[in-house]
Amino acid sequence: MNTKPKTILSIFGTRPEAIKMAPLVKALEAEPDVRSIVCVTGQHRSMLQQVLDLFDITPHHDLAIMSENQSLNGLASRIIASVDDVITAEQPDRVLVHGDTTTATAAALAAFHRQVPVAHVEAGLRTGDMSKPWPEEMNRRVVDVVSDLMFAPTPRSHANLAVETLQGRAFITGNTVIDALQSVTKRIDANDALRRTLDARFPFLDHSKHLVLVTGHRRESFGRGLRDICAALARLARRTDVQIVYPVHLNPNVRATVISALGGAQNVFLIEPQDYLGFVRLLQRATVVLTDSGGVQEEAPALGKPVLVMRDVTERPEAIDAGTAVLVGTDSEAIAASVHLLLDDANARAAFSRRVNPYGDGRASARIVAALAGRPFEEFRPVVARGTKDVVGVMREAFA
Ligand code: UD1
Ligand code: UDP
């Protein structure tokens, strides 16, 4: 007897959601009993398109809602109204959303209002502080409240869900970002010509110098936090053995501060947002990664790169526990001192540079598809890395 395929509507809109949903979309497309429909809200425009091109995804619906320096309420209301039309047209059996963006929350609410079940990919991340990250901590909580299936990347995020009063079922799947990262590193590592082409994008890089790779874009850091981050980078750039590479996020609030503080500074290379291939290549070449990004905190440990997290709290404590990431805040002295310490102390660097995979093993999408299909699967169990608390402790004391 032929059963009607289930329509699964995946909705995403920003660069990180697209990177993390791409492997899942591919896995859903390969499922015989699924009609996979992709709707992009277009919360991001060019940064989203870069990912769709790389993973060869052609959305069935593109809501194209981005506007210059958009407000959260304008964005949320446009998404709810437009997603409602897509739900009405497609009549999905289920909606899939990812993470903690306005797209995820507004799309989940639109589905809830139409009584369509919602599944949340990357569920259960928490800092416990509604203002950090803002508005993401609220967004991810709201999505979990309305979801009947929650795909927690790690045991820690699963435990966070277990102590909340939620109605959905939660599974530990690993993070799909590791699926995406593995597919891209495989492409880069297997292809000398591709590696040369990617490296040709960065002719200014000098192999004899340390590459410090930076990303910073969080809303709660706009203003003073971002200015302090830039002050730290300006200070670091005085070293002649360092090259600082900062792909600058397209948010005008980020660009205004970063370009006015660092444009023209020696040893600082402000570049345009890279497609995922280009950015992963930079990660591979980096000595140290400085970031406030969620995804980069997950990718760098998997590549054995030390990460200094320029935030006060993180919803991704696993790499910190494993001793390959440290929270350094946004104080310029603490940031500069941490990077100096890592660059000057090869032992500290070696301790931080262990390859650990607390966030996934490359099989998250397969587990999520199995859970959606009601098939049995083994949940993700990370190999617990032995922490290097001695080095981390020294850094924490030094910068307390
Ligand atoms: C959003 C997410 C944040 C996520 C980040 C990933 C929310 C509230 N914020 O923040 O959680 O970490 O994406 O990067 O959902 N812009 C462009 N072109 C682009 C993308 C952005 O010009 O391709 C500019 C536009 O002026 C846009 C502005 O950036 O209005 C802000 O974009 P928005 O998605 O609202 O916020 P992000 O800071 O990108
Ligand atoms: N990234 C990218 N190009 C860049 C900078 C980052 O492809 O120039 C990738 C990065 O590898 C990670 C994701 O974008 O997978 C992180 O996105 P972002 O920092 O915008 O958002 P967050 O993860 O903080 O939500």
Side-chain angles (χ1 to χ4, degrees):
M1 191 181 74
N2 280 343
T3 51
K4 195 168 156 259
K6 291 249 180 303
T7 297
I8 297 190
L9 174 61
S10 301
I11 306 177
F12 49 93
T14 64
R15 168 174 69 191
E17 293 167 273
I19 290 170
K20 292 171 168 184
M21 286 296 276
L24 187 50
V25 165
K26 294 291 167 192
L28 286 170
E29 281 171 0
E31 273 291 294
D33 297 333
V34 167
R35 178 176 162 255
S36 170
I37 302 291
V38 172
C39 168
V40 294
T41 62
Q43 177 175 336
H44 283 176
R45 190 179 300 143
S46 56
M47 285 161 54
L48 172 71
Q49 194 57 46
Q50 287 179 324
V51 186
L52 299 176
D53 292 344
L54 179 68
F55 289 98
D56 198 18
I57 294 173
T58 308
H60 301 80
H61 302 270
D62 183 348
L63 309 179
I65 45 109
M66 195 195 92
S67 63
E68 191 61 20
N69 207 4
Q70 56 210 0
S71 74
L72 296 177
N73 284 332
L75 187 58
S77 55
R78 291 198 300 280
I79 294 169
I80 292 180
S82 306
V83 165
D84 192 50
D85 294 340
V86 176
I87 290 175
T88 307
E90 296 290 355
Q91 298 286 309
D93 295 290
R94 164 170 299 289
V95 160
L96 270 186
V97 297
H98 180 280
D100 54 18
T101 63
T102 298
T103 285
T105 313
L109 269 181
F112 179 74
H113 289 155
R114 288 282 174 190
Q115 294 182 295
V116 177
V118 176
H120 189 195
V121 182
E122 200 181 77
L125 276 63
R126 300 285 186 270
T127 62
D129 181 342
M130 281 296 195
S131 67
K132 291 174 184 169
W134 177 82
E136 290 84 358
E137 178 77 0
M138 178 280 293
N139 282 342
R140 51 174 80 120
R141 285 171 183 262
V142 168
V143 179
D144 286 329
V145 167
V146 300
S147 295
D148 73 329
L149 290 177
M150 296 174 286
F151 302 122
T154 65
R156 191 83 167 244
S157 45
H158 187 263
N160 290 338
L161 295 169
V163 297
E164 293 179 12
T165 313
L166 298 168
Q167 305 212 336
R169 285 186 71 193
F171 301 91
I172 309 171
T173 59
N175 197 311
T176 54
V177 77
I178 304 298
D179 305 13
L181 180 68
Q182 286 184 358
S183 80
V184 163
T185 48
K186 226 181 260 170
R187 269 157 86 166
I188 297 174
D189 294 345
N191 188 336
D192 290 346
L194 174 61
R195 234 173 13 254
R196 277 196 299 277
T197 308
L198 293 173
D199 288 345
R201 288 189 195 175
F202 319 114
F204 50 82
L205 286 183
D206 178 342
H207 286 272
S208 68
K209 296 188 178 185
H210 293 298
L211 164 53
V212 176
L213 180 61
V214 183
T215 76
H217 69 82
R218 298 245 78 86
R219 270 181 161 73
E220 69 272 14
S221 297
F222 288 173
R224 177 150 182 220
L226 201 51
R227 277 199 302 276
D228 286 351
I229 289 172
C230 291
L233 299 178
R235 209 187 279 201
L236 279 171
R238 290 190 208 131
R239 287 179 69 129
T240 52
D241 63 344
V242 160
Q243 292 186 305
I244 296 169
V245 179
Y246 188 162
V248 187
H249 193 286
L250 293 180
N251 191 319
N253 301 291
V254 176
R255 289 178 89 79
T257 304
V258 172
I259 293 170
S260 86
L262 295 171
Q266 226 178 353
N267 301 326
V268 179
F269 301 88
L270 302 181
I271 60 175
E272 291 304 311
Q274 295 296 300
D275 66 19
Y276 193 46
L277 271 174
F279 188 76
V280 170
R281 182 63 188 148
L282 285 172
L283 273 175
Q284 288 182 324
R285 293 182 63 175
T287 308
V288 178
V289 180
L290 268 176
T291 193
D292 65 10
S293 150
V296 178
Q297 284 180 67
E298 294 153 346
E299 292 158 343
L303 296 174
K305 301 295 172 179
V307 201
L308 302 177
V309 182
M310 300 184 293
R311 293 171 52 179
D312 299 325
V313 286
T314 182
E315 60 289 307
R316 293 165 168 92
E318 293 85 350
I320 290 173
D321 291 346
T324 66
V326 174
L327 273 179
V328 291
T330 55
D331 177 75
S332 60
E333 274 189 34
I335 296 170
S338 313
V339 180
H340 283 310
L341 189 146
L342 277 179
L343 296 181
D344 292 336
D345 182 344
N347 288 335
R349 218 164 49 238
F352 268 77
S353 304
R354 288 166 309 110
R355 220 174 260 257
V356 293
N357 266 319
Y359 299 108
D361 59 1
R363 292 190 290 129
S365 305
R367 291 190 184 94
I368 292 170
V369 170
L372 290 171
R375 293 194 295 266
F377 66 95
E378 258 186 45
E379 291 185 302
F380 170 59
R381 295 271 172 249
V383 179
V384 179
R386 204 156 46 85
T388 50
K389 295 285 182 201
D390 44 343
V391 183
V392 177
V394 167
M395 289 185 78
R396 281 201 186 121
E397 267 166 37
F399 312 124

